[in-house]
Amino acid sequence: MSAGRTRNGAPLLSCSGVERTLGAGRRRTAALRGVGLAIGAGEAVAVVGRSGAGKSTLVGVLAALDRPDRGTVLLDGTDVWAAPERRRRELRRRVGWVPQDALSSFDPRFTAGEVVAEALPGAPRGFRGARSGGAAVAAAVAELFERVGLDPGLAPRRPVTLSGGERQRVAIARALAVRPAVLLADEATSGLDTLAARRVLDALEAATGEGRALVVVTHDLRVAHRLARRIVVMDEGRIVEDVAADTAGAVGPHLDRLRRATP
Ligand SMILES: Nc1ncnc2c1ncn2[C@@H]1O[C@H](COP(=O)(O)OP(=O)(O)OP(=O)(O)O)[C@@H](O)[C@H]1O
């Protein structure tokens, strides 16, 4: 079995020929225009590009949350949109998703600990399920908090009372609760000050290992270089460059432009 490929020879997560149009009427936008990308097991990839390039849309498609208008998404070699709903739900649990706006993705009734507890495998679903955890659940939540550099003492707090960086790390802990094969993080550090951003990046770094792949969407090349070995550049709904992150010399014009814009 070659590195980064599943037992049947397919990459861990891939898409091909993906097209996605969003909005209606005059706001209709071709967000993805024929995108193909393959992520191997354990690979760390950054998706960069200017605002509106289609990065977030691509992450939604890769997470099997957003159905493309055309094209296929394969996870563990299985076409997620051709699979029955039950199988698709199973496949989605192979993907940990860390959204750009963590707070709005949390159920406002939950404490930070309950947000993570509800995602644990086998946990009863919903509000009551998150509340009904015993000592084993509390220990698993504390372990996940520590993994992302959060004090487990924050578990009883409501996410709305936490800082932006702490919320983002709760979202990472929640994504890790399912022991995903791949973690997808969308602009995980945007709007955070330097110290908070560094802690979130540390948490993402600590989240890899165990053969887990990482896909980070960022407009910040410093984040891309810190976390990824491969940089994929998007522009106007297409992948326009795909290079090794340590490429010191000549790169394509798109990455070159982003590099010049980076302080
Ligand atoms: N709900 C929507 N309705 C209409 N157009 C949309 C919608 N969501 C996104 N778009 C458009 O699709 C394109 C791709 O958006 P997307 O959010 O994927 O870009 P992005 O690269 O993630 O941008 P950013 O870095 O600003 O988050 C943009 O032109 C955007 O305006």
Side-chain angles (χ1 to χ4, degrees), residues 72-215:
T72 51
V73 180
L74 300 184
L75 188 49
D76 284 339
T78 302
D79 181 336
V80 295
W81 293 104
E85 175 62 33
R86 199 183 151 147
R87 173 79 178 123
R88 185 158 46 250
R89 275 206 299 269
E90 276 168 27
L91 287 168
R92 279 198 190 111
R93 293 182 74 81
R94 304 272 293 144
V95 181
W97 181 60
V98 183
Q100 189 164 1
D101 178 5
L103 187 59
S104 70
S105 75
F106 299 148
D107 186 321
R109 297 170 301 173
F110 286 179
T111 64
E114 286 161 358
V115 163
V116 177
E118 201 218 14
L120 288 166
R125 311 303 302 163
F127 183 54
R128 287 186 186 194
R131 290 256 147 128
S132 64
V137 168
V141 169
E143 196 184 311
L144 285 161
F145 268 53
E146 274 166 10
R147 179 96 183 264
V148 299
L150 279 177
D151 176 356
L154 294 178
R157 297 252 302 264
R158 292 202 181 272
V160 74
T161 71
L162 300 178
S163 72
E166 287 165 345
R167 287 173 198 159
Q168 207 62 38
R169 283 181 281 155
V170 172
I172 297 169
R174 174 184 58 183
L176 287 178
V178 295
R179 296 182 164 273
V182 54
L183 197 66
L184 306 179
D186 190 358
E187 295 286 5
T189 58
S190 67
L192 300 181
D193 66 34
T194 313
L195 182 60
R198 195 184 310 147
R199 289 188 172 142
V200 169
L201 295 179
D202 288 345
L204 284 172
E205 208 160 46
T208 54
E210 302 167 342
R212 181 168 297 129
L214 176 68
V215 179

Side-chain angles (χ1 to χ4, degrees), residues 200-239:
V200 169
L201 295 179
D202 288 345
L204 284 172
E205 208 160 46
T208 54
E210 302 167 342
R212 181 168 297 129
L214 176 68
V215 179
V216 288
V217 163
T218 179
H219 64 275
D220 187 337
L221 272 186
R222 290 166 301 186
V223 171
H225 281 283
R226 161 86 195 272
L227 293 175
R229 310 278 299 266
R230 175 180 164 203
I231 298 183
V232 169
V233 189
M234 291 194 75
D235 194 50
E236 297 190 351
R238 293 191 177 88
I239 290 178

